[in-house]
Amino acid sequence: MSKIAIKAENLSKAYQLGEFSTGTLSRDIQRRIALMRGKEDPYLKIGETNDRTSKGASDIVWSLKDINFEINQGDAVGVIGRNGAGKSTLLKVLSRVTTPSTGSIKIKGRVASLLEVGTGFHPELTGRENIFLNGAILGMRKHEIKKHFDAIVDFAGVERYIDTPVKRYSSGMYVRLAFAVAAHLESEILIVDEVLAVGDAEFQKKCLGKMGDVNKGEGRTVLFVSHSMQSIAALTTKTLLLSNGSIAFEGNTQTGIKKYYEYKGQQSLVYTNQPSSDAPVITKVTVNTSEANNLHLQGKPLKIDFEINTPYPIGEAIFSFLILNSSQVKVAHVLVRDDEMSLCRETGVHKFSCSFPQLRLYPDNYSLIINFSDHRSGKKFEVLEGICPFEVQVHELRKYYWYPNAATYVEDHVWQLES
């Protein structure tokens, strides 16, 4: 029987907009005494959920509202949701950085967390001193920290600067060392926010590998916040989908990712965006499926139309897209360069398309990732993730040779019998 590592009951966190004062000194003193005793704020108003798309009437915003969940020891859990959903607030409550307004949180084991660049580090101390400081905060003895010291420095790649005050580190170096400390020191629970986006691609891959080792090899509990569904799919088996401070879905990762795209309002096969006077943007993407309701029959032609608006000419534009399945595995990659097709050499609207004479993907749910950049400068103009979701179904006449989960696509082929 699995043991519970984290349990949240009716967990809520409210923030007051504007001034904190209640209006009278006596009420301010009563509020402060209540908070010091760990009791509920007697003057906490009933406010609104954290919906940043509309202007509220209350000065109280519930970043989290009546959250209930259980996480077992050894689970790898992805916390997903759009900006403002309450993901970072939840991790701060779990990490004891902030206290909940109502409800309770029970945690069994020591927690190592990486929430923001610089969290837990003293800028005036050296990298070496901060490693020992973080270990002491976790309750570790000096000889225990020494046992992991070399591995931490090697993983972070900051050996040359280990005796330099961390205030002189770049944001990338800061994150490398902070992650290495959180992942290597002896804690039962590892909590990582999307701060890893600061590091380069190679280090992000290295971090994901380490978190996988921590979870599967060492049996530690991992909570991971990311907007990259590829990373969530690769690392976690369970997801918590937050929406406006509440849990919209709790369950397996594959279903959670599908729900995430639904909550992002990306059900349509047509993506649209407004032109910009400052930078090139993708203004329209249309997936032309063979059937209605986002359905496409295997083996039928598929055409994808694109539209780009450029306020100035681009010398060496590169445009590419990937097709991802429901497990966020890349099953196709298509790229076109400016020297193959004059994309954006002139100012204005540019329309082009990509066609598949026979789309032979197996039945599953798919979505697109689109990249638009300038090869000469290396600048990325746009990255659109998880847009235009569609479902591939097998044709009635081809069902007899389809085996679920056998592969990602079927190639046309000919059988020949030789006597």
Side-chain angles (χ1 to χ4, degrees):
M1 182 177 179
S2 299
K3 296 181 179 179
I4 297 175
I6 302 174
K7 183 176 182 178
E9 293 181 311
N10 302 318
L11 187 67
S12 298
K13 179 63 180 178
Y15 289 103
Q16 177 154 354
L17 304 179
E19 296 183 1
F20 182 75
S21 173
T22 61
T24 67
L25 179 60
S26 61
R27 288 187 174 185
D28 283 348
I29 293 174
Q30 291 178 45
R31 166 179 275 177
R32 181 58 58 187
I33 292 174
L35 293 176
M36 290 175 63
R37 292 178 175 177
K39 295 183 178 181
E40 184 177 334
D41 183 351
Y43 297 104
L44 182 64
K45 300 176 183 178
I46 298 175
E48 301 169 334
T49 57
N50 188 21
D51 186 357
R52 301 195 300 179
T53 62
S54 60
K55 183 174 176 62
S58 171
D59 58 352
I60 299 294
V61 170
W62 292 92
S63 187
L64 298 174
K65 185 65 173 175
D66 295 329
I67 297 287
N68 292 277
F69 64 86
E70 291 182 356
I71 296 175
N72 293 325
Q73 291 181 5
D75 281 351
V77 181
V79 183
I80 59 179
R82 66 179 186 176
N83 291 331
K87 305 184 298 297
S88 295
T89 301
L90 176 60
L91 295 198
K92 287 177 181 178
V93 172
L94 296 178
S95 303
R96 311 292 193 190
V97 173
T98 186
T99 57
S101 301
T102 61
S104 64
I105 186 81
K106 297 178 182 178
I107 299 177
K108 185 175 182 181
R110 292 176 293 190
V111 177
S113 58
L114 182 57
L115 304 179
E116 298 174 359
V117 177
T119 300
F121 274 18
H122 193 295
E124 299 295 336
L125 300 181
T126 65
R128 183 187 303 274
E129 292 166 336
N130 271 293
I131 292 174
F132 282 92
L133 174 63
N134 274 258
I137 291 172
L138 284 173
M140 297 177 64
R141 297 183 180 277
K142 193 171 183 178
H143 72 273
E144 294 176 309
I145 303 170
K146 282 184 176 180
K147 183 174 66 175
H148 299 282
F149 183 84
D150 290 340
I152 291 171
V153 175
D154 180 64
F155 187 93
V158 295
E159 183 176 3
R160 184 178 180 182
Y161 311 101
I162 196 64
D163 291 309
T164 301
V166 297
K167 67 180 180 181
R168 298 179 186 170
Y169 285 15
S170 67
S171 58
M173 290 172 61
Y174 227 123
V175 169
R176 294 172 81 96
L177 183 59
F179 179 85
V181 170
H184 285 82
L185 294 183
E186 296 174 357
S187 62
E188 286 74 32
I189 301 170
L190 176 62
I191 297 177
V192 180
D193 205 341
E194 53 195 341
V195 67
L196 292 183
V198 175
D200 55 40
E202 181 183 354
F203 184 68
Q204 289 179 32
K205 184 177 180 181
K206 189 176 180 181
C207 290
L208 289 173
K210 180 59 182 177
M211 284 193 283
D213 293 341
V214 162
N215 173 244
K216 297 173 184 176
E218 302 174 26
R220 291 157 63 183
T221 306
V222 174
L223 271 74
F224 180 44
V225 165
S226 178
H227 284 288
S228 170
M229 294 302 105
Q230 291 177 258
S231 299
I232 292 290
L235 181 67
T236 68
T237 56
K238 178 182 178 181
T239 56
L240 291 175
L241 172 61
L242 298 184
S243 177
N244 295 332
S246 300
I247 293 182
F249 173 80
E250 179 181 1
N252 73 78
T253 294
Q254 186 170 324
T255 305
I257 291 173
K258 184 178 179 181
K259 295 285 185 182
Y260 168 79
Y261 287 133
E262 291 176 2
Y263 269 85
K264 287 186 73 176
Q266 296 174 342
Q267 287 282 70
S268 175
L269 288 172
V270 181
Y271 166 87
T272 58
N273 191 16
Q274 295 298 317
S276 169
S277 59
D278 301 321
V281 294
I282 302 168
T283 52
K284 192 173 184 180
V285 181
T286 305
V287 176
N288 302 283
T289 55
S290 63
E291 312 297 318
N293 300 321
N294 296 46
L295 297 179
H296 186 80
L297 292 181
Q298 183 192 80
K300 294 287 186 178
L302 181 77
K303 181 185 176 188
I304 306 177
D305 297 318
F306 304 98
E307 185 178 297
I308 291 175
N309 184 278
T310 55
Y312 55 82
I314 304 171
E316 296 184 29
I318 292 183
F319 188 91
S320 68
F321 69 91
L322 299 115
I323 301 178
L324 280 71
N325 64 15
S326 60
S327 299
Q328 302 303 289
V329 175
K330 303 171 186 176
V331 297
H333 179 220
V334 180
L335 180 146
V336 62
R337 296 166 56 100
D338 183 76
D339 54 4
E340 299 174 273
M341 181 175 66
S342 297
L343 288 177
C344 308
R345 295 182 185 178
E346 297 180 0
T347 301
V349 178
H350 310 274
K351 298 181 180 180
F352 53 98
S353 64
C354 180
S355 297
F356 297 88
Q358 289 181 302
L359 190 74
R360 295 188 292 269
L361 297 174
Y362 268 113
D364 200 352
N365 293 293
Y366 298 89
S367 62
L368 303 182
I369 291 181
I370 300 178
N371 294 275
F372 177 32
S373 60
D374 181 7
H375 178 67
R376 183 178 298 171
S377 65
K379 181 179 181 180
K380 285 191 175 183
F381 299 122
E382 258 193 307
V383 178
L384 304 177
E385 183 175 341
I387 68 167
C388 301
F390 63 96
E391 181 181 353
V392 173
Q393 292 186 351
V394 69
H395 194 280
E396 188 67 31
L397 296 176
R398 308 181 80 173
K399 283 186 177 179
Y400 67 93
Y401 70 82
W402 172 57
Y403 295 93
N405 303 317
T408 55
Y409 74 98
V410 57
E411 185 61 75
D412 279 350
H413 56 278
V414 177
W415 294 97
Q416 184 175 355
L417 178 62
E418 297 182 7
S419 58

